[in-house]
Amino acid sequence: MQMIQKLFVLLFLSGSALAEMRVITDFEGGNAEVVSLDETTRTLRLMPKLHEGRGWPCWWYFQLDGLTPGEEITLEVQAQPRPFREKSILGAVWCQPKHAWLSSDGKTWTPSEAGTLSADKVMSYKLTPTSETLRLAWGPPFVPADAEKLLNEIAAKLPEAKRFELAKTCGGRVVHGIRIGEENAPHQVWIGARHHAWETGGSQVGRGFIRWYASEEAKALRAKTCLHFIPIMDVDNVVLGAGGKDAIPRDHNRDWADAPIYPEVAAAQRMIDEIHAKHGLDAYIDLHNPGAKDSIFFFGPFAFERMTGIQQRNYNRWMELAASHITTPLPVEPKYRCATYVTTEEERGRMSSGWVRNHTGDFTLSVTLETGWNSPLMTVEGYSNIGAGLGRALAWYLEQNPRAP
Ligand SMILES: [Zn+2]
């Protein structure tokens, strides 16, 4: 009798609870290398897959099938132990957000409970799915399909908007942009995201910005401005789910040299040169999402003290306005940081914001907005609010002509 009961329990377990978990990554931005999958404890351990020469292995994003609603599973994330560049191995912290991000419909993303870090640097997240399949990611994803949807949405809303093809990547993919406003408008602005593919929050901030820019509130700003907006620069690495940062021989953000490797960087340089030569460029803002801390800050110019009066005035005005308008979900730091870890003039000159500074005028503002990611506040909506704040700061900034002596 006991034997029969045991058999019954075994049959019951195998029949009902043990659908096998399956990891799927064959979609835009998908990345996960399965280290182990223990069906008895329902524990999946993974690490970001290394894409040789394509930068930091930090981003992960996958679909998990074979779940039982209500049954707890454990997701463990460890660092990729192979070097991404020469002998450099990426620290675990970059692939271990405090919270994993979950979606059961691929659209709405919510943070998990905070994970716990073991002494041997494995982050464990306890998850109780409510559906048989889940998408899980390092942070709320933003892939070319999202960019496409966003640009279509903006183009449909604003008849004066013109979508354009910035370039075709080395991988043959299109880098899309949108221009809003008359070509010869009094003010010219260039805003873009994802020189670093893994910094998905940069595009999330960009989406918040461009939606605000297309809103009624921005009508007066639109009337006097020609904006160029690029939601994703490093499309190839975003599609592959590769980090991009510190790619070999250099990443997109360090490719703003005389002879860029990436066609999309070369195309942006050509367009910015032309815009500045014809009309003058007022502002260049590059959106990043780098730090494992949760702060939001701007990288400003090197050697601020050596700048001329109009430059200092404009950078100071920008910072004051940014600090009063970028306040939620966290306030932006009210002082510029300086990327002092970049030590040579040569490298500083081929960072995107540095190149723009060197190729434009005294009145041109060129900054990067660096939004932290490691916080449950950095939801799609949280990032979006930062983008809207950025738009309001821009409106007020252009309200007083930055070109006036
Ligand atoms: Zn970056």
Side-chain angles (χ1 to χ4, degrees):
M1 189 63 180
Q2 251 183 351
M3 275 299 284
I4 290 168
Q5 271 175 346
K6 270 187 192 162
L7 194 63
F8 179 77
V9 169
L10 276 173
L11 280 172
F12 176 77
L13 281 174
S14 62
S16 67
L18 297 183
E20 278 189 11
M21 292 200 287
R22 208 158 64 90
V23 173
I24 296 160
T25 57
D26 61 346
F27 47 81
E28 283 188 331
N31 178 321
E33 182 173 339
V34 175
V35 177
S36 59
L37 177 52
D38 184 338
E39 287 289 355
T40 50
T41 60
R42 299 294 263 178
T43 300
L44 166 66
R45 181 181 297 196
L46 56 80
M47 57 190 177
K49 182 179 157 191
L50 183 72
H51 289 274
E52 301 265 356
R54 291 184 171 278
W56 287 14
C58 51
W59 168 258
W60 46 270
Y61 175 24
F62 62 98
Q63 182 172 315
L64 191 54
D65 286 358
L67 301 170
T68 306
E71 183 207 53
E72 185 180 90
I73 58 164
T74 306
L75 169 64
E76 297 179 341
V77 179
Q78 69 167 57
Q80 166 61 251
R82 287 164 60 208
F84 63 92
R85 191 180 173 117
E86 290 146 20
K87 287 179 181 151
S88 303
I89 292 168
L90 190 66
V93 61
W94 299 103
C95 70
Q96 294 173 332
K98 282 180 212 148
H99 307 261
W101 290 75
L102 322 174
S103 176
S104 49
D105 61 5
K107 291 176 199 145
T108 319
W109 291 87
T110 49
S112 70
E113 293 295 313
T116 51
L117 193 60
S118 70
D120 60 344
K121 294 190 179 171
V122 176
M123 185 68 106
S124 296
Y125 308 94
K126 297 283 181 199
L127 312 169
T128 310
T130 53
S131 50
E132 287 170 14
T133 180
L134 261 188
R135 290 248 172 144
L136 294 117
W138 172 98
F142 189 101
V143 296
D146 299 303
E148 187 63 20
K149 222 172 115 189
L150 178 64
L151 296 180
N152 281 338
E153 171 196 320
I154 301 299
K157 194 166 176 193
L158 302 174
E160 72 269 32
K162 281 198 172 66
R163 293 193 51 170
F164 67 92
E165 193 177 308
L166 178 67
K168 271 216 174 67
T169 65
C170 297
R173 301 179 179 94
V174 175
V175 178
H176 292 281
I178 196 163
R179 192 190 89 189
I180 304 173
E182 290 298 322
E183 196 192 321
N184 57 357
H187 292 296
Q188 304 281 329
V189 175
W190 185 288
I191 295 185
R194 305 292 274 288
H195 274 86
H196 291 136
W198 67 286
E199 296 175 21
T200 178
S203 292
Q204 303 277 359
V205 170
R207 177 161 55 192
F209 164 77
I210 200 73
R211 282 187 172 152
W212 178 86
Y213 195 86
S215 74
E216 192 59 27
E217 193 185 337
K219 207 172 164 187
L221 173 63
R222 285 200 304 276
K224 62 179 178 192
T225 307
C226 180
L227 168 77
H228 286 82
F229 174 76
I230 313 288
I232 300 176
M233 275 295 277
D234 185 0
V235 169
D236 282 348
N237 283 326
V238 169
V239 169
L240 294 170
K245 190 177 170 85
D246 281 346
I248 297 170
R250 61 192 183 204
D251 65 41
H252 280 60
N253 198 49
R254 297 292 192 281
D255 190 39
W256 288 58
D258 291 340
I261 297 163
Y262 305 107
E264 51 277 27
V265 171
Q269 287 180 333
R270 276 195 303 274
M271 285 184 70
I272 288 170
D273 263 340
E274 197 185 323
I275 291 167
H276 187 67
K278 282 189 181 162
H279 315 287
L281 182 70
D282 291 281
Y284 172 84
I285 303 172
D286 194 15
L287 305 173
H288 289 252
N289 182 216
K293 305 259 166 53
D294 56 9
S295 48
I296 308 172
F297 64 93
F298 282 95
F299 275 132
F302 294 101
F304 183 73
E305 66 285 353
R306 286 209 304 270
M307 294 189 132
T308 64
I310 191 170
Q311 287 176 310
Q312 274 207 4
R313 179 201 67 190
N314 285 355
Y315 278 97
N316 280 333
R317 276 195 66 232
W318 173 257
M319 183 46 85
E320 278 168 29
L321 291 165
S324 33
H325 293 284
I326 304 176
T327 54
T328 174
L330 287 169
V332 75
E333 288 180 10
K335 284 205 166 115
Y336 290 108
R337 288 199 204 175
C338 192
T340 46
Y341 58 88
V342 183
T343 51
T344 66
E345 281 302 319
E346 187 276 328
E347 188 175 0
R348 288 176 178 189
R350 61 181 162 80
M351 294 168 82
S352 68
S353 59
W355 184 93
V356 172
R357 255 174 240 131
N358 293 339
H359 287 77
T360 51
D362 272 3
F363 59 82
T364 308
L365 177 92
S366 176
V367 291
T368 65
L369 173 55
E370 311 277 342
T371 305
W373 46 267
N374 207 358
S375 161
L377 297 174
M378 294 306 172
T379 56
V380 169
E381 197 193 357
Y383 283 123
S384 178
N385 287 337
I386 296 166
L390 179 75
R392 292 187 182 106
L394 181 68
W396 285 104
Y397 179 74
L398 293 178
E399 186 66 26
Q400 266 182 40
N401 185 3
R403 303 179 184 207

